[in-house]
Amino acid sequence: MTMTTTTAPTAITTAPATTAITTAPVTTAITTAPVTTTATVPVADALVHYDRLGSSDGTRTPLVLVHGTGSTGAALTWGQIAPRFAEDRTVITPDLSGTDRTTDGGGPLSVEGLAAQVIAVIEDAGTGPVDLLGFSMGSPVAAAVAALRPDLVRRLVLVAGWAHTEGDEFLRSTFGLWNRLGTSDPVAFGRFVLMTGFSRGFLNAIGREQVDAMAANMPPTPGTLRHADLDARVDIRALLPRVQAETLVIGCLQDATVPVEHSRDLHAAIPGSTYAELDTGHVAFFEQPEEFRRLVDEFTLGTTRGA
């Protein structure tokens, strides 16, 4: 390991028994930037970078945030919300293969391979069991971590995720169009990702200038297209019954990237999971950051109100 330091109204039910888009700036400011430590850990042919924000007094379990599709990785996905979580706990944000910060052999990605990278980061950080949150593509990856290494995950949060792509023609076509536009029309790729990543109301609220600026947030780099290729092949159905951690699944009611039915299916497939919905597009934590943070904090503190 190498390391450097810089300063820097929801319905919830309990049951028995999506693809990342990145984002616009959030206006709420953090008054004191948390200390950030950067480290690397080798995993197979990859050298995985991760950041560690904030500090812990031992009363809060560390929170690991797993990003979704996009070569910009954790910085753009979690850049606005991670410092909020880091105000009172340690937050760890890995950059997985396909991102600009992590190098590897360049081959096809797999959910299990990315899960191995998250597992290595958790072990390298040396914090013991963590609370693990995965967004979009990071959701099946985080679920795989919890299934394969239950000793490392205390509580699991899956946001805008899905269990399998094949069989849903909308989802399969979405990822197919990402790959086609990414290689033929980068401008159209950015626009399509933006339009499906956020709700119409949110885009209208922030206005044309910011919408135009956001369209370039997820360029179709080779790493991004490696993620999109994996998105088209996801299938973690066999792993879901093995998840032992207490789990919160968060669906996004207006999600036009990974339709909310996929989150509901994840909830049904994970024994004892809890479910919540936010009335947002795919990137819920940009549209409703405070409500998102409240949901995650209540769940990880064990104060979630189940119906």
Side-chain angles (χ1 to χ4, degrees), residues 60 63 84-85 88-89 154 248 290-304:
R60 294 294 303 272
L63 176 65
R84 302 183 187 203
F85 285 125
D88 61 355
R89 70 194 304 180
R154 187 186 72 118
L248 169 65
E290 293 309 318
E291 179 68 3
F292 180 82
R293 179 184 176 181
R294 182 191 67 79
L295 273 177
V296 174
D297 274 344
E298 286 185 354
F299 176 70
T300 56
L301 283 168
T303 57
T304 295

Side-chain angles (χ1 to χ4, degrees), residues 78-298:
W78 305 120
Q80 299 297 328
I81 197 72
R84 302 183 187 203
F85 285 125
E87 290 172 1
D88 61 355
R89 70 194 304 180
T90 298
V91 175
I92 298 169
T93 57
D95 278 296
L96 307 180
S97 282
T99 63
D100 298 331
R101 295 179 73 202
T102 288
T103 58
D104 66 9
L109 302 175
S110 68
V111 169
E112 292 80 4
L114 297 187
Q117 295 182 3
V118 176
I119 289 168
V121 165
I122 295 171
E123 292 181 328
D124 190 68
T127 60
V130 300
D131 294 333
L132 182 63
L133 187 156
F135 164 65
S136 196
M137 182 190 77
S139 183
V141 172
V145 173
L148 296 170
R149 289 294 304 273
D151 58 307
L152 295 181
V153 182
R154 187 186 72 118
R155 288 192 169 98
L156 176 68
V157 183
L158 305 177
V159 183
W162 75 106
H164 62 102
T165 305
E166 189 62 36
D168 185 327
E169 290 307 305
F170 179 91
L171 204 58
R172 187 185 65 85
S173 296
T174 294
F175 300 141
L177 187 55
W178 280 14
N179 276 298
R180 182 177 293 272
L181 291 178
T183 55
S184 64
D185 192 337
V187 173
F189 174 89
R191 286 287 171 181
F192 181 69
V193 163
L194 179 72
M195 290 168 59
T196 58
F198 298 91
S199 68
R200 177 172 174 245
F202 178 79
L203 294 177
N204 285 335
I206 64 175
R208 179 177 299 181
E209 183 176 347
Q210 196 164 358
V211 166
D212 288 345
M214 288 168 58
N217 271 355
M218 195 172 93
T221 62
T224 295
L225 296 182
R226 288 175 71 196
H227 286 166
D229 173 71
L230 172 59
D231 294 336
R233 296 181 284 103
V234 164
D235 190 346
I236 59 165
R237 287 174 289 182
L239 291 174
L240 293 177
R242 297 169 58 182
V243 173
Q244 300 176 28
E246 292 184 50
T247 301
L248 169 65
V249 179
I250 300 177
C252 304
L253 193 58
Q254 300 183 58
D255 196 336
T257 302
V258 181
V260 68
E261 289 82 6
H262 285 279
S263 288
R264 296 170 184 167
D265 289 344
L266 278 173
H267 166 50
I270 298 175
S273 64
T274 298
Y275 182 73
E277 271 181 12
L278 292 174
D279 190 12
T280 68
H282 189 62
V283 195
F285 44 88
F286 274 81
E287 297 195 22
Q288 293 187 17
E290 293 309 318
E291 179 68 3
F292 180 82
R293 179 184 176 181
R294 182 191 67 79
L295 273 177
V296 174
D297 274 344
E298 286 185 354

